[in-house]
Amino acid sequence: MKWCKACRLTELPTGHTRPVELADEFILLCRVSDAEIYAIENVCSHDDGPLGEGSLTGKVVECPRHGARFDVTNGTVLRLPAATPLDTFPIRISDGWIEVALEDV
Amino acid sequence: MADQALLSSPGKPVVSEKDIRTLAEVLHEPPDVSESRRECLSAYQSADWPDRVQHLWRYTDPRRVMPEQLKPDQLMPSQRMPSSASQIEQAKDLLPQEGPAVLITPNMKPEVNASAREAGVVLESLSEAREDLAQLGQAVRTDHGLFEALNGAAWNAGLLVKIPRGKLLAEPLRVLIPAMASTNLPRLLVVVEDGASATVVEEHVGGNAGTHSIGVSELFVGTAAQLRHVIVQQWGAGVVGHLTTRTHLERDAQLFTVLASFGGSVVKLDLGAALTGEGAQSEFMGVALGEGRQHFDHHTEHRHIAGHTWSNLDFKVALTGRSRSVYTGLIRIEENAPGSEAYQENRNLMLSEKCRADTIPELEILTDEVSCSHGATVAPVDPEQLFYLASRSISGPDALRLVVRGYLENTLRRIPAGLRDGIESLVTERLTRLVGEH
């Protein structure tokens, strides 16, 4: 497991998302409240849609291509046409940075 | 890759007319080549990013494939890094066949061996070619796409291979294309004249994280000529590569394409053949083996423009780790191509839970009286096969390797005898690496 700097905490306002690419992994940072930030795959498991270009409502992100929805806290599918859950990643705040933990592959 | 890399939506890297003019002057190009560059530059400058709604780029972000910037000195041959001698030597050993090996590098002086010289084979740097280059840009035209337009405008290492009319070249011609600099723009033009026969092995090797390669290969196979075209993609880990090949087949011409795609980090290959003359035949055998976080995006096209043409495609993929494969394959039969036959098959074997494959075979048939079929599969290894092997005391990586090898066998068996050994040894080496880490 390796912690990678993703972006500064100040660059992610509450209610917003921010796509980042870390070590060939496409990740969407989602700040659902002042104190809650989640990191989820930024690629819809249905058709590869970029979730970061969709909308975040509460803890639910919606794919812009076909409307699949995912729970950003655990990657669970909430609405078809996606059927496969997404990976989520541990995060931490360190020295004003949001850091994401990635597995070594 | 650096730990931190924020995604944004950058514009295309800027390439100016002055850059291209300077490049043409440095390469001492004839005026018609420079004119071709200017047309491509104009197409590049006016082109938008490819539409991600269209399936060709649906699964791969083109911004990931394009270099962030192209400084003028990156385009100039004289400023480029020398090649890694050990890397090149290693690549030369990959295929056991003897034959002339040609490097496509900016400052190369192509040489042919005695037998090829006797046969009258022409090998020339594209920028210094004394031969007529009328076919340059005719198979991959300026409006083909953004990446092809960039290559057409700024290619800085090019090779012309011409097999004269009626000559049968027994030995494979090996063209080694090393990714030597941070951005590589190689271009290959192969002309097999009427009644000639040749084997061209195009090997893309080298490079590492931060290396981009955007290549274009145009191939022309004359009336009743034969071309065996082997593409070996063994870029180094971390390389981002884009390669477009188009082959034009005249009447009764035959093309046999073999693809072995193994290397790189993000790889997009767009391989196609246009069957423009009656009786032309094209057969494609491909193998891609992915590992780690590799992202493969392969596209193939068989365009039947004339009637009574035949094509067959068999593309097999095996994936481990978190690797990813996207395959889109088009068979298009034009209105004036009755009596054509076309087949297409893409199979994907998943060796890990986290790998993923998408496959989209397509048929566009604009006439009647044709015979076409296509098929695609995505599946994990059948546990019953592993159980059977375990009952014969074969288990673990050995069993998995056998199963994958059996899966590929039908494809490999169709490769012509003279080329099969080389490709099989590449596959075996790669498979040992993949299954070993499973």
Side-chain angles (χ1 to χ4, degrees):
Chain A
M1 191 79 88
K2 178 182 169 190
W3 287 99
C4 300
K5 283 183 178 176
C7 76
R8 290 192 174 278
L9 187 58
T10 52
E11 293 172 331
L12 184 60
T14 299
H16 285 72
T17 60
R18 188 176 180 96
V20 293
E21 184 184 350
L22 299 169
D24 287 342
E25 194 83 59
F26 288 91
I27 294 169
L28 187 67
L29 300 173
C30 306
R31 189 164 187 175
V32 302
S33 72
D34 285 351
E36 280 183 284
I37 297 173
Y38 298 95
I40 186 170
E41 274 184 275
N42 188 24
V43 180
C44 178
S45 59
H46 164 240
D47 190 35
D48 268 21
L51 294 179
E53 293 174 20
S55 58
L56 176 70
T57 309
K59 293 179 179 177
V60 177
V61 67
E62 181 172 316
C63 178
R65 284 195 181 163
H66 303 95
R69 288 182 185 169
F70 300 90
D71 183 334
V72 300
T73 67
N74 55 21
T76 308
V77 179
L78 299 177
R79 190 165 85 173
L80 291 169
T84 309
L86 295 177
D87 281 347
T88 54
F89 305 86
I91 69 129
R92 71 180 183 190
I93 308 300
S94 174
D95 200 19
W97 283 83
I98 301 170
E99 295 185 345
V100 178
L102 296 177
E103 285 176 21
D104 297 319
V105 173
Chain B
M1 177 169 289
D3 275 358
Q4 185 209 351
L6 298 182
L7 283 182
S8 57
S9 294
K12 295 174 296 186
V14 175
V15 180
S16 71
E17 200 162 329
K18 185 183 167 199
D19 297 339
I20 298 307
R21 207 165 44 237
T22 310
L23 179 63
E25 283 168 11
V26 169
L27 293 172
H28 306 295
E29 282 177 358
D32 52 340
V33 175
S34 302
E35 180 55 36
S36 155
R37 284 188 188 277
R38 275 193 291 276
E39 284 174 21
C40 289
L41 180 64
S42 172
Y44 172 73
Q45 288 173 333
S46 59
D48 287 328
W49 286 106
D51 185 355
R52 291 215 58 200
V53 174
Q54 299 299 319
H55 69 261
L56 204 59
W57 287 97
R58 196 171 183 85
Y59 300 95
T60 304
D61 188 342
R63 292 163 181 81
R64 250 187 121 186
V65 183
M66 186 66 89
E68 280 181 21
Q69 55 181 354
L70 280 170
K71 292 179 183 166
D73 62 349
Q74 284 177 278
L75 301 175
M76 296 306 137
S78 59
Q79 299 298 316
R80 293 162 68 93
M81 297 291 288
S83 62
S84 155
S86 61
Q87 214 168 41
I88 301 306
E89 284 309 310
Q90 191 185 8
K92 279 184 176 175
D93 292 339
L94 289 174
L95 289 177
Q97 297 92 348
E98 291 302 316
V102 184
L103 285 177
I104 288 198
T105 65
N107 298 314
M108 66 168 190
K109 295 289 177 200
E111 290 179 9
V112 292
N113 69 2
S115 63
R117 196 179 305 118
E118 281 169 20
V121 172
V122 174
L123 282 178
E124 287 185 328
S125 163
L126 267 184
S127 50
E128 296 172 0
R130 285 159 295 177
E131 294 283 323
D132 178 19
L133 292 178
Q135 283 148 314
L136 185 66
Q138 295 305 303
V140 178
R141 291 180 176 274
T142 51
D143 59 355
H144 191 102
L146 182 69
F147 291 85
E148 293 78 8
L150 173 62
N151 179 286
W155 59 265
N156 49 19
L159 179 73
L160 166 69
V161 178
K162 188 177 267 190
I163 316 296
R165 180 186 297 258
K167 295 293 180 187
L168 309 180
L169 194 64
E171 292 176 336
L173 265 166
R174 300 178 56 210
V175 181
L176 200 57
I177 308 177
M180 290 158 43
S182 59
T183 302
N184 304 275
L185 296 157
R187 191 160 188 118
L188 178 63
L189 175 61
V190 177
V191 180
V192 184
E193 293 188 334
D194 295 351
S197 171
T199 301
V200 174
V201 181
E202 177 182 344
E203 301 174 50
H204 293 264
V205 297
N208 46 36
T211 302
H212 282 75
S213 181
I214 299 172
V216 168
S217 299
E218 296 178 286
L219 306 99
F220 295 86
V221 189
T223 300
Q226 293 184 354
L227 173 64
R228 287 162 298 281
H229 182 208
V230 182
I231 304 163
V232 179
Q233 184 279 102
Q234 291 215 109
W235 279 312
V239 172
V240 175
H242 185 286
L243 173 67
T244 302
T245 75
R246 282 293 180 276
T247 307
H248 273 207
L249 296 159
E250 299 293 334
R251 184 170 53 79
D252 294 328
Q254 292 183 6
L255 169 70
F256 193 101
T257 307
V258 179
L259 169 69
S261 186
F262 302 145
S265 166
V266 179
V267 173
K268 183 157 180 69
L269 304 186
D270 176 358
L271 316 173
L275 294 89
T276 59
E278 280 214 354
Q281 298 187 355
S282 171
E283 187 156 23
F284 178 103
M285 296 290 130
V287 174
L289 303 174
E291 64 173 333
R293 288 193 167 93
Q294 281 184 296
H295 179 105
F296 288 153
D297 187 336
H298 294 100
H299 174 70
T300 63
E301 270 185 33
H302 269 136
R303 287 186 181 269
H304 293 251
I305 294 166
H308 306 286
T309 47
W310 178 89
S311 72
N312 183 33
L313 180 141
D314 180 356
F315 184 41
K316 291 222 170 76
V317 179
L319 302 170
T320 66
R322 296 174 66 95
S323 57
R324 177 73 202 280
S325 170
V326 178
Y327 170 73
T328 51
L330 172 67
I331 294 172
R332 184 177 167 94
I333 302 196
E334 301 288 352
E335 217 167 325
N336 297 322
S340 295
E341 291 180 56
Y343 309 97
Q344 177 177 259
E345 183 177 306
N346 170 233
R347 294 184 184 276
N348 298 271
L349 188 62
M350 321 302 281
L351 303 176
S352 68
E353 285 185 9
K354 291 287 184 183
C355 60
R356 178 175 165 166
D358 291 89
T359 175
I360 307 174
E362 293 175 305
L363 296 177
E364 291 179 7
I365 301 172
L366 307 183
T367 187
D368 298 326
E369 296 177 37
V370 299
S371 175
C372 287
S373 68
H374 63 182
T377 61
V378 178
V381 172
D382 183 350
E384 280 202 16
Q385 292 179 355
L386 293 176
F387 179 77
Y388 173 80
L389 288 169
S391 74
R392 299 290 187 272
S393 301
I394 303 170
S395 58
D398 288 343
L400 199 54
R401 203 176 302 120
L402 267 181
V403 170
V404 180
R405 194 52 209 265
Y407 157 77
L408 300 175
E409 185 61 26
N410 279 347
T411 304
L412 296 175
R413 199 188 297 158
R414 299 185 69 142
I415 296 173
L419 297 170
R420 192 186 309 144
D421 289 348
I423 297 296
E424 279 190 344
S425 65
L426 281 176
V427 167
T428 302
E429 184 186 305
R430 178 74 175 161
L431 209 51
T432 304
R433 181 187 157 107
L434 257 62
V435 174
E437 70 165 21
H438 179 69

